[in-house]
Amino acid sequence: MREKSVITRTIEVAGGVYAPGHLGELTQIVDFCLVDAVLEETGTRERRLRLLPSRVVVYFVLALALFEDCSYRSVWGKLVAGLEPLALVRPAVSSLSRARRQIGAAPLRRLFETLAGPVAHRGQSGAFWRGLRTVAVDGTLLHAPDEPAITWRYPKRSAPEPRHPANVHPGAQPGPRQRPQPQARPAPARCAAVHPRPGTPS
């Protein structure tokens, strides 16, 4: 008889309609208190508690980034996987889309500003080269709506695909900069060594 190993994990979630608002183990980094504080600061917290609280929507949008090839319904399914005993109502895709528009980009931008930044210390393997920080530059393409406000930047023969380059310091969260490209192609990955900026932790 073959031996078997069973690995179990306990993920803490909130109660009631807040239960889908989590990112599994990543919730230790993007925790409930942080998301609530960002919503308060940006004035995007819901006025009345409904099926999709603003905190849940923030986690849903973050999950969309983690599972970029999945549909809204599929991503929601990942958030509620294992929560069947709670008998949660599954919102319609149109409700998720509307809730996403309502909170806007402000809370996500504030989350990024709070969490992103170099965390590698001097002497950490792969983070420095001859006293300079190593930086990886890469990018991806985003599918954008075929609307006049966007398509004016693109030739008529191509679909709008803004390029999304990112500067990543080994041992740190990425710092993206978004810039439309008329004829976007996958951005090449390359590495560089840079001097630490004034005030940047070493």
Side-chain angles (χ1 to χ4, degrees), residues 97-108:
S97 179
R98 183 168 54 251
R100 182 182 180 184
R101 288 195 302 270
Q102 286 175 347
I103 67 165
L108 282 303

Side-chain angles (χ1 to χ4, degrees), residues 44 57 61 72 93-106:
T44 49
V57 179
V61 175
Y72 274 31
V93 172
S94 58
S95 298
L96 291 168
S97 179
R98 183 168 54 251
R100 182 182 180 184
R101 288 195 302 270
Q102 286 175 347
I103 67 165

Side-chain angles (χ1 to χ4, degrees), residues 13-171:
V13 298
V17 293
Y18 288 100
H22 69 93
L23 287 177
E25 294 185 0
L26 290 178
T27 312
Q28 300 176 59
I29 300 174
V30 189
D31 59 45
F32 303 148
C33 293
L34 174 60
V35 174
D36 288 343
V38 164
L39 289 169
E40 288 288 352
E41 182 179 338
T42 56
T44 49
R45 178 184 286 278
E46 73 280 349
R47 296 181 180 179
R48 289 185 293 173
L49 185 58
R50 296 184 177 178
L51 178 63
L52 289 172
S54 299
R55 182 207 292 176
V56 173
V57 179
V58 169
Y59 282 112
F60 173 70
V61 175
L62 293 174
L64 286 175
L66 292 175
F67 305 103
E68 58 179 336
D69 294 329
C70 296
S71 65
Y72 274 31
R73 193 179 302 278
S74 178
V75 171
W76 182 263
K78 294 180 184 296
L79 294 179
V80 298
L83 302 181
E84 290 82 3
L86 299 181
L88 298 170
V89 177
R90 185 171 66 176
V93 172
S94 58
S95 298
L96 291 168
S97 179
R98 183 168 54 251
R100 182 182 180 184
R101 288 195 302 270
Q102 286 175 347
I103 67 165
L108 282 303
R109 182 181 299 113
R110 190 70 189 96
L111 267 180
F112 176 85
E113 293 169 350
T114 302
L115 294 173
V119 295
H121 55 79
R122 285 196 178 277
Q124 182 170 327
S125 178
F128 290 86
W129 180 77
R130 296 188 177 181
L132 305 178
R133 290 187 181 275
T134 55
V135 178
V137 182
D138 205 346
T140 187
L141 299 179
L142 303 177
H143 295 288
D146 190 9
E147 298 176 354
I150 297 174
T151 55
W152 70 271
R153 281 280 301 174
Y154 300 86
K156 294 294 183 181
R157 63 180 181 276
S158 64
E161 290 186 321
R163 182 180 293 179
H164 195 285
N167 302 324
V168 185
H169 173 51

